Amino acid sequence: MIIEVKDLVKRYKDFLAIDHLSLTIKEGEIFGLLGPNGAGKTTLTNTILGLTAIDQGTITVFGKELRKHEREIKEDIGLVPQDIAVYDELTAYENIRLFGKLFGLRGEALKNGIDDALEFTGLTHLKNKKPSQFSGGMKRRLNIACAIVHKPKLIIMDEPTVGIDPQSRNYILESVKKLNQLDCTVIYISHYMEEVAAICSQIAIVDKGRIIAKGTKEELSRLIVDDQVISVDVEAPDYTIIERLKNLHGVKDASIDGQTVRIVLNELKLNTVLSTFLEEGSTITKVATNTPTLEDVFLTLTGRALREGSR
Amino acid sequence: MREIVDVFLNTVKLNLRNRRALIFMILFPICLTLILGTALSNVGGNNMNESLHMKAAVVNQDHGIMAGQMEKFFQSKEIKKIVEMKTYQTLRAAESDLKSQKLDAIIIINRGFSQAAQQGSHHQLNFITSGDLESSVIKSIAESYLKRINAVQAAASVGALPEHTGNQVQSGSLISDHTLSINGKVPKSSDYYAVTMLIMIILYASNYGLDVVRESKKSPIGYRIRSLPVRQMNYLIGKTLGQLATVFLQIVILVTFFKFIYHANFGNQLGFIFLMCFLLGLIVILFSMALSLFFTCELADTLLNFIVPIATFLAGGYIKLSFLETNSITSTLRNWLPNSLAQNLIFQNIYGGSGVSTSEGILKLIFIAGCMLLLTAIAVRRSKNGDLSK
């Protein structure tokens, strides 16, 4: 195990941010962490990095207890923060060199680390430019380069693709896969379900400080495999319909997004659902049935849309 | 140690590339000095004797020959051009006028002064002063004259001069003598503002202190740095030293400009000036760090925006007001305000005077710096125990 978290508890006064959470991450995985804002993802990341004091539990990273070997453990971790964390006054090269030095690299190892990080992120030709001259995607790549200069065993990526163009997003996703092929374990935190589904070998869904489901994409989908997901488009949907639908026997979840009402059901027949709409006086414009996706799994398990509270 | 050096060098590099901050820290005091120095020198004219309006009292408790000579000297035309002297019969009356700011200094000729002077034993004049620049000038003039009398007396006693001249030192020759010249003893307005604006801009170095906390606690870079195998204390030390070095570099540039291009009087002991500025810069940076750690960066910023101009005003940085020196509250404040202390020590170093003892002033500054260091260390420890967020 590269990370082993046991019975972790973290409180902020009366707010329970992490609620008796246990988690294991194997070496070589791309581990996806999914959860809405306030679910406890960042707090969990901070505790793994030793940035937040914990109230209860133990954290073991690389087989060493974090509390006793924090500095040693940090030498093999690279963090890609959600916000761009580079100096605008320094060039790309200088930024990577600075963080390389702070990771303890010197001489040839530092030079090689910088060159490899620049090459890996495709920024070699821009190494003498300052981040202010970069596009959003390039800045994100530099953000990654600063975290991999020391060739870490574990990389934590917090929303690394927020606010960038599809081309840069694909570049970063491919980079994550490449890093993983280079024996690097990756913890990938994202709101983008499709990204997590595309690259992660293991996925954990976090909500209210707990892990409510964990497994591969297929294993998670199997949790609601017997369920049916129906999307019903109606004119001027009324929120009272959600309550009525949820009260029906066999309906596991119901939510509304614009003009679309999404229902997860396991026992009920479609015509019962549609009758409920008609009884409410709704005008149905479209009905579709879907195979459950990771988004549906998340919705069913948490009762919340993943990007509901996203930044 | 390597971490501290890396963070230190990076901080200096970042600061030197921050053109906006550099322009503010260097050009702002230069422009203000040029404007204030020029504007006020035109208003006051170049005759600093007139603009000073020095007023002193002589209290003769001795009534001996030497005392009479001293009194006569103080009433001479040449002296009256520089200082308005008035003889008081009682010390109490003079003290009363000093308190009501009608006087800058009282010169007391003690009983037995003449006899001691004639016998060659220890004798001196006593002074009660308001502690301001004018009183320093008065003291300097009186002491210069006393030294001259003593020199003549000593020469006469060994037969180098006729005996009778010992009691009759010609004031005219003294006025042209360097001992009574106020040239270089009183700052011109440009000299005055070169020092006060330098001190004021060091107070604005509080922004550098705030920047340390902002970066380490509030910015994504600080978040990344906390995830590195770098001791937080080493990072803070490196960052603070980097900020201090930047401020010191700015001080060197400003003093160089003022002294060698603007030709302001900074005396001959630049090392002392730099030491005062360094101590003040350290105090300011540590104070702003502690303030932003105990409260928030935003609140600390707002508070400092009030504190800096008030502290500058109290020290007489914008305009010299004598009531600030004589009022007991503002006078006590000035005695402990680091900017006022540093400013007074610099003026004393350049122009002489004895408002504050140099060693006492330096010790006070070191003590304040020590307190600030302790306060910042407590604040850092307190914030470390709290939770860090992005």
Side-chain angles (χ1 to χ4, degrees):
Chain A
M1 293 300 163
I2 204 156
I3 292 178
E4 201 166 355
V5 178
K6 279 185 191 165
D7 197 28
L8 185 67
V9 175
K10 173 67 194 171
R11 287 187 191 88
Y12 292 100
K13 292 181 182 167
D14 294 335
F15 176 68
L16 191 59
I18 302 283
D19 182 9
H20 298 276
L21 183 146
S22 294
L23 170 76
T24 52
I25 298 175
K26 285 182 198 156
E27 200 170 342
E29 281 182 345
I30 301 180
F31 191 90
L33 262 183
L34 281 173
N37 269 358
K41 301 188 305 291
T42 302
T43 308
L44 179 61
T45 312
N46 285 346
T47 56
I48 291 170
L49 287 164
L51 303 182
T52 302
I54 58 172
D55 295 307
Q56 191 184 310
T58 56
I59 301 167
T60 311
V61 186
F62 310 127
K64 295 167 193 161
E65 200 186 329
L66 180 69
R67 207 171 41 181
K68 290 178 187 164
H69 304 274
E70 187 182 322
R71 200 175 153 89
E72 210 179 319
I73 288 168
K74 280 180 171 180
E75 283 174 6
D76 286 318
I77 300 181
L79 171 72
V80 183
Q82 182 180 343
D83 299 313
I84 309 287
V86 295
Y87 288 103
D88 282 337
E89 296 86 351
L90 302 181
T91 63
Y93 188 91
E94 288 169 331
N95 264 298
I96 302 169
R97 186 177 58 185
L98 170 70
F99 291 109
K101 279 184 174 181
L102 294 176
F103 272 114
L105 300 181
R106 289 291 183 278
E108 204 61 24
L110 176 64
K111 193 184 169 300
N112 291 340
I114 300 168
D115 290 342
D116 290 347
L118 282 167
E119 197 184 327
F120 188 84
T121 49
L123 293 173
T124 306
H125 63 296
L126 297 167
K127 67 178 182 181
N128 293 322
K129 298 245 186 250
K130 291 182 180 173
S132 52
Q133 296 166 277
F134 285 7
S135 68
M138 286 170 186
K139 282 182 187 172
R140 289 266 163 209
R141 276 144 67 181
L142 178 59
N143 209 25
I144 293 172
C146 291
I148 59 170
V149 60
H150 60 306
K151 300 182 172 62
K153 289 182 196 165
L154 171 68
I155 293 184
I156 300 173
M157 294 182 149
D158 193 354
E159 306 272 5
T161 58
V162 165
I164 57 171
D165 57 280
Q167 199 185 346
S168 293
R169 174 179 293 189
N170 289 340
Y171 193 99
I172 287 172
L173 294 178
E174 284 307 312
S175 301
V176 175
K177 284 185 197 168
K178 264 197 258 173
L179 276 171
N180 186 241
Q181 284 159 10
L182 296 168
D183 293 332
C184 187
T185 308
V186 181
I187 299 179
Y188 194 90
I189 303 165
S190 179
H191 281 121
Y192 297 108
M193 200 76 72
E194 61 277 21
E195 285 181 7
V196 174
I199 63 168
C200 294
S201 49
Q202 281 284 318
I203 300 161
I205 296 176
V206 186
D207 193 36
K208 293 171 186 165
R210 287 175 291 127
I211 291 191
I212 54 172
K214 187 191 159 199
T216 60
K217 180 189 158 193
E218 292 73 26
E219 283 167 347
L220 291 177
S221 296
R222 236 175 276 143
L223 290 174
I224 57 168
V225 76
D226 297 329
D227 300 342
Q228 195 179 7
V229 181
I230 302 168
S231 298
V232 182
D233 286 8
V234 287
E235 280 178 6
D238 189 341
Y239 278 87
T240 54
I241 190 79
I242 301 297
E243 285 310 307
R244 275 202 69 182
L245 287 167
K246 278 183 176 176
N247 287 335
L248 288 175
H249 180 73
V251 170
K252 287 178 82 172
D253 187 42
S255 59
I256 195 161
D257 181 15
Q259 291 194 314
T260 307
V261 179
R262 185 188 149 285
I263 309 125
V264 181
L265 42 93
N266 52 7
E267 290 172 17
L268 211 61
K269 298 288 177 207
L270 181 61
N271 56 358
T272 315
V273 173
L274 296 180
S275 305
T276 310
F277 277 97
L278 295 172
E279 282 165 23
E280 278 287 312
S282 303
T283 308
I284 299 169
T285 55
K286 187 181 164 190
V287 177
T289 58
N290 310 304
T291 312
T293 63
L294 213 49
E295 181 92 35
D296 299 318
V297 176
F298 187 86
L299 263 167
T300 310
L301 294 176
T302 67
R304 286 193 277 174
L306 193 55
R307 285 170 217 165
E308 221 167 55
S310 68
R311 279 164 276 190
Chain B
M1 188 64 193
R2 282 201 313 197
E3 292 167 359
I4 295 177
V5 174
D6 287 338
V7 175
F8 168 83
L9 292 175
N10 184 58
T11 305
V12 174
K13 188 193 276 183
L14 289 172
N15 286 336
L16 294 182
R17 288 188 185 179
N18 187 346
R19 282 185 205 158
R20 196 192 289 178
L22 274 185
I23 286 171
F24 175 78
M25 292 295 283
I26 293 171
L27 288 187
F28 181 60
I30 289 176
C31 290
L32 264 182
T33 306
L34 293 177
I35 293 165
L36 288 171
T38 310
L40 294 180
S41 75
N42 288 340
V43 171
N46 288 324
N47 190 342
M48 289 305 294
N49 309 349
E50 288 170 15
S51 63
L52 278 174
H53 300 297
M54 295 184 286
K55 288 175 187 172
V58 180
V59 181
N60 188 351
Q61 297 175 334
D62 180 60
H63 303 294
I65 299 168
M66 291 287 282
Q69 198 67 32
M70 290 283 310
E71 207 176 321
K72 202 173 161 188
F73 165 74
F74 289 134
Q75 297 301 337
S76 64
K77 271 185 193 172
E78 291 84 354
I79 294 297
K80 278 190 170 176
K81 279 183 200 168
I82 306 167
V83 189
E84 190 186 324
M85 287 282 188
K86 199 176 165 187
T87 305
Y88 281 70
Q89 294 305 313
T90 63
L91 182 59
R92 187 177 292 176
E95 280 179 330
S96 167
D97 280 1
L98 183 74
K99 274 182 191 167
S100 56
Q101 298 173 40
K102 289 176 188 165
L103 293 170
D104 295 305
I106 304 169
I107 304 163
I108 307 160
I109 307 171
N110 291 314
R111 191 161 291 137
F113 174 86
S114 299
Q115 198 182 350
Q118 281 168 329
Q119 288 170 356
S121 54
H122 179 74
H123 61 285
Q124 63 175 48
L125 294 170
N126 280 354
F127 297 92
I128 301 173
T129 68
S130 60
D132 62 8
L133 198 66
E134 286 85 346
S135 63
S136 300
V137 175
I138 293 165
K139 201 175 167 187
S140 181
I141 291 169
E143 282 178 340
S144 295
Y145 183 72
L146 182 60
K147 277 177 191 164
R148 179 75 176 184
I149 286 181
N150 291 340
V152 173
Q153 184 76 19
S157 67
V158 295
L161 287 170
E163 187 72 30
H164 70 278
T165 56
N167 298 337
Q168 291 175 2
V169 179
Q170 292 301 307
S171 57
S173 64
L174 286 171
I175 297 300
S176 58
D177 197 277
H178 70 278
T179 52
L180 265 185
S181 167
I182 60 163
N183 193 17
K185 293 212 179 279
V186 179
K188 288 183 287 182
S189 52
S190 55
D191 298 332
Y192 184 77
Y193 285 111
V195 173
T196 61
M197 290 300 108
L198 175 72
I199 295 294
M200 184 194 74
I201 209 67
I202 298 173
L203 295 186
Y204 278 107
S206 57
N207 283 323
Y208 286 107
L210 287 179
D211 188 47
V212 175
V213 180
R214 259 192 218 118
E215 182 179 291
S216 67
K217 301 288 175 197
K218 299 284 174 193
S219 79
I221 290 175
Y223 180 59
R224 187 198 280 278
I225 285 171
R226 288 198 300 276
S227 77
L228 305 179
V230 174
R231 285 184 213 287
Q232 186 70 2
M233 193 53 91
N234 286 353
Y235 162 72
L236 285 175
I237 291 170
K239 190 86 194 163
T240 308
L241 290 178
Q243 304 289 47
L244 191 59
T246 309
V247 173
F248 192 69
L249 198 66
Q250 289 163 352
I251 290 165
V252 171
I253 293 170
L254 281 172
V255 172
T256 306
F257 173 83
F258 284 138
K259 186 170 173 65
F260 298 106
I261 298 170
Y262 191 59
H263 299 296
N265 187 5
F266 268 89
N268 299 316
Q269 290 177 286
L270 283 186
F272 181 84
I273 311 275
F274 287 138
L275 174 69
M276 292 302 100
C277 294
F278 179 83
L279 278 173
L280 182 62
L282 178 67
I283 290 168
V284 167
I285 288 174
L286 290 174
F287 175 67
S288 55
M289 279 175 70
L291 205 62
S292 50
L293 283 166
F294 277 119
F295 303 108
T296 61
C297 288
E298 293 72 26
L299 182 60
D301 196 13
T302 310
L303 286 173
L304 285 165
N305 280 333
F306 279 103
I307 292 170
V308 170
I310 290 171
T312 305
F313 173 77
L314 283 172
Y318 300 120
I319 191 153
K320 196 169 156 30
L321 297 167
S322 58
F323 82 88
L324 294 172
E325 291 152 359
T326 50
N327 180 282
S328 61
I329 298 168
T330 52
S331 167
T332 310
L333 266 174
R334 282 162 59 96
N335 275 335
W336 283 98
L337 267 180
N339 62 319
S340 179
L341 272 171
Q343 190 173 292
N344 286 343
L345 287 171
I346 290 173
F347 275 132
Q348 265 178 224
N349 183 265
I350 303 170
Y351 302 102
S354 54
V356 193
S357 144
T358 306
S359 53
E360 185 194 326
I362 293 173
L363 280 175
K364 270 186 184 175
L365 283 174
I366 292 172
F367 174 74
I368 296 169
C371 290
M372 289 302 147
L373 189 63
L374 189 70
L375 198 69
T376 312
I378 293 168
V380 168
R381 198 171 169 76
R382 190 171 156 265
S383 75
K384 204 179 165 188
N385 289 337
D387 284 307
L388 303 161
S389 63
K390 267 199 281 185

